Amino acid sequence: LEPKEEFEHKTLAMDVMRPRQSDPPLSVLTQSGMSVDQVEAIIADTSYSGFPIVVSQESPRLVGFVLRRDLVISIDNARRCQEGIVGASQVLFTEQTSNPVGPPPLSLRSIIDLSPLAITDHTPIDITVDIFRKLGLRQCLVTQNGRLLGIITKKDILKHMAQMTNRDPESILFN
Ligand code: ATP
């Protein structure tokens, strides 16, 4: 990394996180209530590497984070090998509860990261960069008063640093 002063401005996590105001909203999954079909539609409509999991759309409190590839593999396996799993099955990231109506649910709790790193939207970007470097993060979530606001990936940080220093992101070593 180049000397910190070059990107040590008043930039905060909220300035680097996605989505931007003009972007579509953050793609999240809810801990319960979504069907296999709905989750598959989100996977098909986006290309993100992962999805935050929240309590509900009304209460966007962070429950965990799931990688796209784990989600794809698990749903695919369940559809092929698990008795009763169909498009209408409910996907559960919570502890399994009884589901008396409808097809049996698909529990995917075991594939989620239950403690993804989250910072507040007011975290200065130089501290955010330090956290990424020291913890070797690929992404980090951004919250405000406990509500999930956005996400920052390693690439977002690299692009931001490149912008600040007027350089090609590829030329910045960030490991
Ligand atoms: P790339 O896929 O090009 O390697 P990346 O390493 O930043 O990009 P992605 O997860 O694909 O990883 O994210 C692409 C962009 O979308 C980033 O700017 C990121 O902040 C944003 N992003 C990541 N996940 C989500 C999500 N679930 N909802 C909305 N935006 C997201």
Side-chain angles (χ1 to χ4, degrees), residues 33-84:
M34 291 181 80
S35 66
V36 168
D37 278 343
Q38 285 174 314
V39 173
E40 283 180 332
I42 290 182
I43 294 170
D45 290 348
T46 63
S47 59
Y48 307 126
S49 312
F51 303 93
I53 298 160
V54 293
V55 172
S56 65
Q57 295 290 352
E58 303 72 45
S59 174
R61 291 184 190 276
L62 189 60
V63 170
F65 190 80
V66 65
L67 290 175
R68 174 192 197 83
R69 60 161 190 271
D70 293 340
L71 204 51
V72 169
I73 293 170
S74 300
I75 292 180
D76 194 45
N77 273 341
R79 274 208 187 258
R80 281 188 293 112
C81 312
Q82 204 174 319
E83 189 86 22

Side-chain angles (χ1 to χ4, degrees), residues 43-159:
I43 294 170
D45 290 348
T46 63
S47 59
Y48 307 126
S49 312
F51 303 93
I53 298 160
V54 293
V55 172
S56 65
Q57 295 290 352
E58 303 72 45
S59 174
R61 291 184 190 276
L62 189 60
V63 170
F65 190 80
V66 65
L67 290 175
R68 174 192 197 83
R69 60 161 190 271
D70 293 340
L71 204 51
V72 169
I73 293 170
S74 300
I75 292 180
D76 194 45
N77 273 341
R79 274 208 187 258
R80 281 188 293 112
C81 312
Q82 204 174 319
E83 189 86 22
I85 298 300
V86 290
S89 297
Q90 188 183 178
V91 176
L92 287 180
F93 295 105
T94 48
E95 230 96 68
Q96 190 110 14
T97 49
S98 60
N99 188 39
V101 285
L106 170 58
S107 173
L108 294 182
R109 190 169 173 86
S110 62
I111 64 165
I112 71 178
D113 175 358
L114 287 167
S115 316
L117 197 104
I119 57 175
T120 72
D121 57 337
H122 278 79
T123 308
I125 205 62
D126 56 322
I127 291 177
T128 308
V129 170
D130 274 352
I131 294 172
F132 266 80
R133 292 174 65 201
K134 289 188 175 140
L135 301 183
L137 299 181
R138 298 213 55 95
Q139 73 277 314
C140 150
L141 299 164
V142 182
T143 59
Q144 182 189 55
N145 300 326
R147 295 166 63 89
L148 179 64
L149 274 194
I151 185 167
I152 299 178
T153 65
K154 182 169 151 180
K155 222 181 230 181
D156 292 330
I157 297 251
L158 279 172
K159 281 190 204 150

